[in-house]
Amino acid sequence: MTTIKLHNTKTRKREDFVPIDSDNVRMYVCGPTVYDRAHLGNARPVIVFDVLYRLLRHVYGPDHVTYVRNFTDVDDKINARAAESGRSIGEITAETTQWFLDDMAAVGALEPDHMPRATAYIPQMIEMIEGLIAKGHAYAAEGHVLFAVESYKEYGALSGRSIDDMIAGARVEVAPYKRNPMDFVLWKPSDGDTPGWDSPWGRGRPGWHIECSAMSYELLGAHFDIHGGGNDLMFPHHENEIAQSCCAHPGAGFANYWLHNEMLQVEGKKMSKSLGNFFTVRDLLDHGVPGEVIRYVMLSTHYRKPMDWTEKKADEAKRKLKSWYDLVKGVEASKASRIIIDNLAEDLNTAFTLRQLDQLAGDIVHNDKFDGQFEAGVPNAPQMARSSSELRSEFKASLQLLGLIGDEVPSWSEETAFDLSRFQRSLEAARSVAMQTKDFSGVDQIKNMLIGAGVQVQMSKEGVEVIAGPNFDPTKLEALE
RNA sequence: GGCGAGUUGGCGGAGUGGUUACGCAGCGGAUUGCAAAUCCGUGUACAGGAGUUCGAUUCUCCUACUCGCCUCCA
């Protein structure tokens, strides 16, 4: 069996992944707060952990992996959005949740086995909070319930901070009811305009971190294998999750492996609303960047390195994917290549995996030249180790494992339906005349106009081929008529 | 201020204690009326300094620089 190696943030080392129960490998990834379209940065953890999910399923079997990714549908950002738009909270979260699912499906992400919504787990959160109070890890004050960070001596271990360090440069909300400035909210009171639930501390709503602790416990238990998310969540979110979960279920262990993806940048700069280089996955899709291209670009950088989104990368990815898809049209997938699995098992080395795929593609092209010739008795033909069709099936399965293709080649990669045949005929006619007269000026004129319209013109001894290129513009051809 | 990641050829981006992935671009060639496409060939790069070592781009330390998180945001 393949040994997967993962970089564990908890130990800051690359470790062999050993599941608690190989019949049920359990992974929790922090999902979105549903108040708006997912931006490109949101897609990175989704794609990264989707690759891990696919790899785990491949290694342990599809029925032996449980992947949970939540929707946080109670949050002050949502409340603010509702207030400013006049729409109901339920309407906003339902719409945004569906957007997220649609957009993530477009970038090839499988749906997790469970996608719990925070509002469906309020009783479990209240129960957990009550338990924390009972054990002396939390206290109620002025309608709030706060987690007492000093009650948990491991607090800060994941992100490598001490409570004292953090207080020094603290940007924490100072509140008179906090025993320690780092104490964070488990429950807070709601007024008449904010959503709230009845609780032992009055009508209120949960703080940001408790939902993940409650839902992971409910769906995966007190001890599970992998917990993932963006590295911006490391502190405070994951730190607080650990504090809550480990104090609520002492000795259980919570998550064994913590994985964090690095942040995304755009053209070398941080993507942020204030810098104006902020865009959503939907923006890209609507501007003709296919989901597979987004995915390819994401996978071309290792997940623990900052990834720079550039248009150039997207263009290159598109070209590369097109050439790959050409090789697997109508091909039935077999088993993914060993070398692809092995590279993914090395802490998800997707960048190297893409290079290996390209190698496979090259092998297929090379193989095609001699395929079957030896068997057919062609003189001097080399015997190929494997047939081209075998290689293609393996290649397709490898692409599928990475989520870069489904059953069919994506339609965007097919050529334009625009009929170019009459241009081809006139070019052919002009060329055959020119071959006699040796005056190619007329041929070149037609050719250049076609090229100007984004058409790829290929002339050889066998004939003339015209193919719509990536920047094909039919309107420019009309001037030719 | 605290925490963390990184610095590899024109660009992107792997990897390794000793034999210089790979992609794109470029260059040379084959091919072509010319091109395109394709194919063949071609690149001695690892921030700076010190140390460990027979030998370091790869390990250790220091310096410089870049980036991110601790705020909206993953």
Side-chain angles (χ1 to χ4, degrees), chain A residues 186-304:
Chain A
L186 298 171
W187 190 264
K188 53 188 166 186
S190 293
D191 60 28
D193 296 329
T194 28
W197 290 262
D198 289 330
S199 81
W201 318 284
R203 184 174 175 277
R205 59 194 193 281
W208 172 29
H209 317 288
I210 192 71
E211 86 276 22
C212 286
S213 285
M215 291 188 285
S216 65
Y217 175 68
E218 194 71 14
L219 294 165
L220 297 175
H223 189 204
F224 56 93
D225 297 294
I226 298 170
H227 193 130
N231 77 348
D232 58 332
L233 292 179
M234 205 157 97
F235 185 88
H237 183 59
H238 290 160
E239 204 72 74
N240 293 355
E241 264 191 69
I242 291 173
Q244 293 160 355
S245 292
C246 290
C247 289
H249 310 287
F254 200 37
N256 280 352
Y257 301 86
W258 284 84
L259 268 62
H260 291 96
N261 62 276
E262 251 291 350
M263 297 291 99
L264 177 118
Q265 293 167 249
V266 173
E267 306 285 350
K269 291 228 169 67
K270 176 190 173 171
M271 179 166 89
S272 70
K273 284 169 185 167
S274 46
L275 284 177
N277 61 351
F278 182 95
F279 48 85
T280 65
V281 173
R282 180 50 54 184
D283 290 336
L284 283 176
L285 294 170
D286 288 347
H287 283 88
V289 180
E292 291 84 358
V293 169
I294 297 173
R295 189 175 177 96
Y296 181 104
V297 173
M298 291 281 185
L299 298 184
S300 69
T301 299
H302 187 88
Y303 75 93
R304 284 193 300 106

Side-chain angles (χ1 to χ4, degrees), chain A residues 436-451:
Chain A
Q436 305 298 319
T437 64
K438 301 294 173 197
D439 174 12
F440 289 93
S441 58
V443 181
D444 285 343
Q445 203 183 348
I446 298 172
K447 189 180 81 179
N448 289 334
M449 286 166 97
L450 285 168
I451 290 170

Side-chain angles (χ1 to χ4, degrees), chain A residues 421-462:
Chain A
S421 59
R422 64 183 181 282
F423 298 101
Q424 181 177 333
R425 281 196 296 276
S426 58
L427 191 61
E428 258 168 1
R431 184 164 178 255
S432 60
V433 171
M435 293 293 238
Q436 305 298 319
T437 64
K438 301 294 173 197
D439 174 12
F440 289 93
S441 58
V443 181
D444 285 343
Q445 203 183 348
I446 298 172
K447 189 180 81 179
N448 289 334
M449 286 166 97
L450 285 168
I451 290 170
V455 178
Q456 288 176 13
V457 180
Q458 302 181 11
M459 289 187 262
S460 66
K461 277 180 191 160
E462 289 76 42

Side-chain angles (χ1 to χ4, degrees), chain A residues 313-328:
Chain A
K313 283 185 182 176
D315 289 345
E316 280 180 22
K318 193 169 189 176
R319 223 171 36 238
K320 186 60 74 185
L321 283 170
K322 255 187 174 176
S323 74
W324 287 357
Y325 292 150
D326 281 345
L327 296 175
V328 296

Side-chain angles (χ1 to χ4, degrees), chain A residues 61-91:
Chain A
D63 300 330
H64 302 289
V65 182
T66 307
Y67 174 23
V68 178
R69 187 186 62 216
N70 68 289
F71 284 107
T72 298
D73 60 348
V74 50
D75 185 277
D76 287 349
K77 288 193 288 286
I78 302 170
N79 302 341
R81 187 57 56 97
E84 77 196 22
S85 67
R87 302 174 65 198
S88 80
I89 285 170
E91 204 180 320

Side-chain angles (χ1 to χ4, degrees), chain A residues 30-226:
Chain A
C30 292
T33 299
V34 279
Y35 69 103
D36 206 348
R37 279 275 183 199
H39 65 251
L40 190 60
N42 296 123
R44 192 172 189 196
V46 172
I47 292 171
V48 164
F49 291 104
D50 181 63
V51 171
L52 179 56
Y53 181 45
R54 288 168 184 268
L55 178 65
L56 290 169
R57 284 162 62 98
H58 181 88
V59 172
Y60 295 96
D63 300 330
H64 302 289
V65 182
T66 307
Y67 174 23
V68 178
R69 187 186 62 216
N70 68 289
F71 284 107
T72 298
D73 60 348
V74 50
D75 185 277
D76 287 349
K77 288 193 288 286
I78 302 170
N79 302 341
R81 187 57 56 97
E84 77 196 22
S85 67
R87 302 174 65 198
S88 80
I89 285 170
E91 204 180 320
I92 290 172
T93 57
E95 178 184 70
T96 314
T97 299
Q98 193 54 49
W99 282 348
F100 184 85
L101 291 174
D102 293 344
D103 294 348
M104 294 310 124
V107 297
L110 300 173
E111 290 199 354
D113 300 289
H114 300 282
M115 297 187 283
R117 291 175 302 112
T119 50
Y121 289 82
I122 300 290
Q124 288 87 339
M125 294 185 216
I126 290 174
E127 193 185 326
M128 186 174 265
I129 295 169
E130 285 180 310
L132 287 170
I133 294 175
K135 291 189 179 76
H137 291 294
Y139 56 95
E142 297 182 25
H144 294 70
V145 180
L146 291 117
F147 186 92
V149 293
E150 285 172 79
S151 74
Y152 179 55
K153 64 176 190 308
E154 302 290 317
Y155 190 76
L158 179 72
S159 54
R161 304 151 196 248
S162 70
I163 293 173
D164 290 344
D165 284 346
M166 286 186 281
I167 290 171
R171 299 186 196 181
V172 290
E173 190 191 346
V174 180
Y177 49 79
K178 285 186 180 179
R179 290 181 192 166
N180 183 302
M182 295 307 296
D183 288 354
F184 57 91
V185 170
L186 298 171
W187 190 264
K188 53 188 166 186
S190 293
D191 60 28
D193 296 329
T194 28
W197 290 262
D198 289 330
S199 81
W201 318 284
R203 184 174 175 277
R205 59 194 193 281
W208 172 29
H209 317 288
I210 192 71
E211 86 276 22
C212 286
S213 285
M215 291 188 285
S216 65
Y217 175 68
E218 194 71 14
L219 294 165
L220 297 175
H223 189 204
F224 56 93
D225 297 294
I226 298 170

